[in-house]
Amino acid sequence: MKQTLKKNPSRSFFGIGLSSILIIFVLLCLMVFAMLSLVSAGADWRLENRLISRTSAYYEACAGADSLLEEMDRQLEQLYLEDPDSYGDRALSYLETLAGETADQGDVLSFSFVKTIDEGKYLSVTVSVPRSPAPGGTYYQIQSWSTGSSQAWEPDEHLNVLE
């Protein structure tokens, strides 16, 4: 006589069903994590592009400031070599022709100018020019090189935290 094994129908369904549900759950988790990764990568890409454009705009403004300072140095050197005795007054009149603000502070002339970085941001440079530079010395010295914002800072006050 042949003996047949009876399969327990509830046990086989439970074994196959639980593993199927587990696989479906793992696949759903993987899909959710994949979507989160794509969203995060897209946000990182947009942030990187904004940073690249801001950085390149800053360095373009710096390059413009450097070229102005280079030209100013060349002109001041030429003025000094032409006539060292009247250099201070001629340097003052030259600086007044440039786009910027000039101030006479006695022994030193102050010159400041602004280069636009992007909308609302600017690069501010202030240099001092001695009226009588030392032989072999520099014709100007950078006093400040800073960035600023032309837009006023407005704090977010819609959330009452201290009440």
Side-chain angles (χ1 to χ4, degrees):
M1 288 192 158
K2 232 181 187 184
Q3 194 177 20
T4 59
L5 294 172
K6 259 187 169 178
K7 292 185 179 178
N8 188 353
S10 65
R11 183 161 175 79
S12 65
F13 171 75
F14 185 70
I16 293 172
L18 183 62
S19 63
S20 297
I21 290 174
L22 184 62
I23 288 174
I24 290 172
F25 178 73
V26 168
L27 287 175
L28 283 174
C29 288
L30 288 174
M31 285 177 38
V32 167
F33 289 139
M35 292 303 293
L36 288 174
S37 295
L38 285 175
V39 169
S40 176
D44 288 345
W45 184 73
R46 288 187 298 276
L47 176 64
E48 180 183 353
N49 285 336
R50 281 197 317 253
L51 288 175
I52 287 171
S53 66
R54 286 180 185 172
T55 303
S56 62
Y58 171 75
Y59 283 115
E60 285 175 14
C62 287
D66 282 338
S67 65
L68 177 67
L69 290 175
E70 183 181 358
E71 177 62 27
M72 187 178 79
D73 188 50
R74 229 176 305 154
Q75 290 295 326
L76 291 174
E77 180 182 29
Q78 184 179 3
L79 291 174
Y80 182 76
L81 293 176
E82 286 175 1
D83 186 12
D85 295 331
S86 65
Y87 168 76
D89 295 331
R90 293 173 56 201
L92 177 62
S93 63
Y94 166 70
L95 291 175
E96 288 173 343
T97 64
L98 298 176
E101 295 181 20
T102 306
D104 188 356
Q105 299 173 342
D107 292 342
V108 176
L109 305 171
S110 177
F111 177 69
S112 61
F113 61 95
V114 173
K115 291 287 184 183
T116 302
I117 296 174
D118 62 8
E119 185 179 315
K121 302 276 185 206
Y122 61 87
L123 173 69
S124 174
V125 179
T126 303
V127 297
S128 62
V129 178
R131 279 190 169 272
S132 54
T138 60
Y139 295 99
Y140 70 90
Q141 183 176 9
I142 297 174
Q143 297 299 316
S144 73
W145 185 286
S146 61
T147 59
S149 176
S150 58
Q151 299 170 348
W153 180 72
E154 296 178 15
D156 185 10
E157 297 177 349
H158 75 278
L159 183 62
N160 297 326
V161 177
L162 298 176
E163 290 186 290

